[in-house]
Amino acid sequence: MQTKLHGWAAADRGRRFDDLYNLVCDPAFLTMAWERVAGNKGARTPGVDRATVAHVTSGMGVEAFLRQVRDELKSRTFQPVPVRQVMIPKASGKLRKLGIPTVTDRVVQAALKLVLEPIFEADFQPCSYGFRPNRRAADAIAEIHHFTSKRYEWVLEADIEACFDMIDHTALMDRLRARVSDKRVLALVKAFLKAGVLTTVGTTEGTVTGTPQGGILSPLLANIALSVLDDEFARRWTQEMGTANQRNRRRYHGEATYRLIRYADDFVIVVKGERADADQLREEVAVVLVPMGLRLSPDKTRVVHIDDGFDFLGFHIRRMRKRGSHKSFVYTKPSTKAIASIKARVKAMTYRATLHRDPGYLMAYLGRVLRGWANYFRHAVAKRAFNAVDSYTWERITSWLRKKHRRIGWPELRRRYCLPGSWRLAHDGVRFKGAASVPIVRYRYRGYQIPTPWTPSTVAS
């Protein structure tokens, strides 16, 4: 059914879908939605009703629970409850508001996403990479690397201020109505937008704007809202810069060419021209975002030159002279914050307060954390970063073991835990799977596109 929805939406860009509510209520869609919710890491986190997936499974039972949800949806008596607000720290030191829905609301949101995502994926532009099937942060970095290697030297690094909290509901619903004419689905989406928030002090607040960050449906709704920016820049590229002749003509007349690369509410615009052209684009972007109730963050939005470098999605992208030559290349490597972050996680796990932990648990945990970090940066110039994290992890582990076993000498500890003489992250226990020894200096651009036709495996990603 998802393949059909995506095919119909891609074949007719003006088609509006009118009977989607029955798919949301369909037992197959609800079952798949339950599997997504139960398999998510947040299944252990309760909403305002303090119920988790384990409570539903051991109490009412999955079949009875899904039957009850379907009956409420069919009878139009389902009503979302406020999300539970928690505050999580950000890298800047500030706090981010996170809304945790109940298990029931998560299942209904997952069913809505299964129905709506294939339709709107047909309209999303290739320049968008965040929260989309078969797309990842490395694809966005690869495209930035491609254009900056082609003399797109000025970069507008932008961030939307409180994007998930400031999206205008009226404008968002208008973009939904462009594709969905089923009033029952639209009413259900609006009910989630207006459900409210139970704050940390115990008071309930209404949600006049925004989509509470943390819900399953929120990333899709944010992409629908931000697609107004993608559509505008895709239209400009197609009409004014789509061919080599058009780009050459613009440069002959002193006009700039530019390209947008967006990942959720973070995006960059690479510009082949002058700094004044990038500054002008900043004002134009602000105008495009105004109808959606959004604005650029003045602290995180700036214009930089590729030779000075900038951070994006944990990577530091900069053009530098290749060692031993006079040629310059664009390099991508882990940012200083990314290295400090992984070191902080290693330190937190090997601190004095964790001496009661079993060493096997410590090794398994560090293995998962470091493998994930290394896989994320496996296409970057990360040899020095890997070596730095490598030596730091070895120092923390050896210090932790010495504190835990004060009466045992180091040779005995090495034999007991099968530790090497000198630590390497590619060694057993904390393995980088060869990423540390095979750094890739430059990306190979692949031009990632949404695969068609839509397949269930694509949705599962």
Side-chain angles (χ1 to χ4, degrees):
M1 194 64 232
Q2 288 176 323
T3 304
K4 291 181 179 179
L5 289 174
H6 181 73
W8 293 334
D12 186 359
R13 298 292 181 177
R15 176 168 181 169
R16 300 180 69 205
F17 294 80
D18 58 354
D19 191 17
L20 299 177
Y21 194 77
N22 289 330
L23 291 179
V24 178
C25 304
D26 188 87
F29 276 80
L30 290 176
T31 302
M32 179 59 68
W34 167 262
E35 292 178 359
R36 300 283 174 83
V37 173
N40 192 282
K41 184 179 179 180
R44 301 188 298 268
T45 307
V48 294
D49 59 355
R50 298 297 176 184
T52 62
V53 170
H55 291 147
V56 174
T57 305
S58 60
M60 182 185 302
V62 178
E63 294 184 3
F65 171 76
L66 293 180
R67 192 180 307 113
Q68 177 181 336
V69 172
R70 184 171 185 269
D71 292 341
E72 292 180 3
L73 289 172
K74 295 288 286 185
S75 61
R76 304 289 301 278
T77 59
F78 174 80
Q79 187 65 32
V81 298
V83 298
R84 182 169 66 90
Q85 186 183 85
V86 296
M87 309 298 289
I88 59 175
K90 299 173 63 175
S92 60
K94 299 180 181 179
L95 295 177
R96 173 183 282 120
K97 297 179 181 179
L98 193 69
I100 303 177
T102 62
V103 176
T104 304
D105 290 353
R106 285 181 233 173
V107 172
V108 178
Q109 286 189 29
L112 271 172
K113 183 180 179 183
L114 289 172
V115 175
L116 296 178
E117 189 177 49
I119 297 173
F120 285 95
E121 275 292 331
D123 298 334
F124 289 159
Q125 301 295 334
C127 62
S128 170
Y129 292 92
F131 305 116
R132 295 185 60 187
N134 281 355
R135 286 175 168 246
R136 53 180 183 167
D139 301 341
I141 298 299
E143 187 164 359
I144 294 174
H145 184 279
H146 169 74
F147 282 104
T148 51
S149 299
K150 302 293 184 181
R151 295 187 297 171
Y152 284 73
E153 299 179 344
W154 289 101
V155 180
L156 172 62
E157 182 189 3
D159 177 78
I160 300 176
E161 184 176 6
C163 175
F164 285 86
D165 299 330
M166 300 302 296
I167 295 176
D168 185 76
H169 289 174
T170 303
L172 175 59
M173 294 303 298
D174 289 341
R175 295 192 70 84
L176 279 169
R177 292 188 187 95
R179 274 298 199 175
V180 179
S181 61
D182 193 331
K183 294 183 178 180
R184 297 168 297 178
V185 172
L186 295 173
L188 188 57
V189 173
K190 189 173 183 178
F192 279 114
L193 293 176
K194 301 292 185 181
V197 176
L198 179 65
T199 63
T200 55
V201 297
T203 59
T204 302
E205 296 180 354
T207 49
V208 181
T209 60
T211 61
Q213 192 169 358
I216 295 177
L217 197 60
S218 295
L220 176 61
L221 296 179
N223 271 336
I224 294 174
L226 293 174
S227 62
V228 64
L229 184 64
D230 305 337
D231 295 342
E232 173 63 21
F233 277 83
R235 181 192 62 80
R236 294 185 185 184
W237 179 267
T238 303
Q239 296 180 0
E240 303 173 9
M241 299 167 280
T243 64
N245 289 335
Q246 288 177 324
R247 293 191 291 271
N248 292 333
R249 190 180 303 112
R250 287 179 64 89
R251 285 193 288 271
Y252 179 78
H253 292 286
E255 298 177 346
T257 57
Y258 45 86
R259 187 79 175 196
L260 169 73
I261 301 97
R262 183 178 65 84
Y263 190 94
D265 58 339
D266 297 326
F267 63 91
V268 298
I269 301 177
V270 290
V271 182
K272 181 185 286 189
E274 303 296 333
R275 181 187 180 94
D277 299 320
D279 291 330
Q280 182 181 355
L281 284 174
R282 178 175 182 169
E283 304 299 328
E284 295 176 3
V285 168
V287 173
V288 174
L289 293 176
V290 165
M292 299 305 302
L294 303 173
R295 62 178 182 177
L296 296 177
S297 173
D299 299 332
K300 298 181 181 180
T301 302
R302 62 190 184 120
V303 176
V304 297
H305 195 272
I306 190 61
D307 290 341
D308 298 327
F310 64 98
D311 293 343
F312 188 66
L313 303 179
F315 289 82
H316 182 74
I317 307 171
R318 186 179 179 183
R319 187 172 63 185
M320 297 181 292
R321 183 177 61 84
K322 185 179 180 180
R323 187 179 303 173
S325 71
H326 297 287
K327 296 182 178 180
S328 296
F329 297 95
V330 177
Y331 292 89
T332 60
K333 60 182 181 179
S335 65
T336 304
K337 289 184 178 180
I339 298 175
S341 175
I342 189 63
K343 286 184 176 181
R345 296 192 67 176
V346 173
K347 181 178 181 180
M349 193 57 194
T350 56
Y351 202 64
R352 187 183 298 272
T354 63
L355 290 177
H356 66 283
R357 295 281 190 181
D358 181 70
Y361 173 84
L362 172 69
M363 297 295 182
Y365 175 84
L366 290 179
R368 292 193 300 269
V369 171
L370 293 172
R371 276 196 300 270
W373 188 83
N375 284 334
Y376 183 80
F377 292 106
R378 66 184 181 273
H379 295 307
V381 185
K383 186 175 182 179
R384 291 186 179 181
F386 287 167
N387 288 337
V389 177
D390 182 5
S391 58
Y392 182 80
T393 304
W394 173 241
E395 292 174 2
R396 296 296 305 182
I397 288 177
T398 55
S399 176
W400 187 85
L401 288 175
R402 289 178 187 273
K403 292 177 182 178
K404 185 176 181 65
H405 304 283
R406 293 182 180 273
R407 299 182 180 181
I408 301 178
W410 181 243
E412 177 61 25
L413 284 177
R414 283 184 54 189
R415 287 192 296 270
R416 177 177 296 189
Y417 295 111
C418 301
L419 295 176
S422 62
W423 188 259
R424 295 292 297 174
L425 289 178
H427 190 80
D428 291 337
V430 186
R431 181 183 296 274
F432 265 10
K433 293 186 177 179
S437 59
V438 189
I440 298 178
V441 176
R442 294 186 296 275
Y443 272 102
R444 179 178 299 172
Y445 183 66
R446 294 179 55 187
Y448 295 89
Q449 299 289 337
I450 284 294
T452 53
W454 188 271
T455 60
S457 60
T458 303
V459 180
S461 64

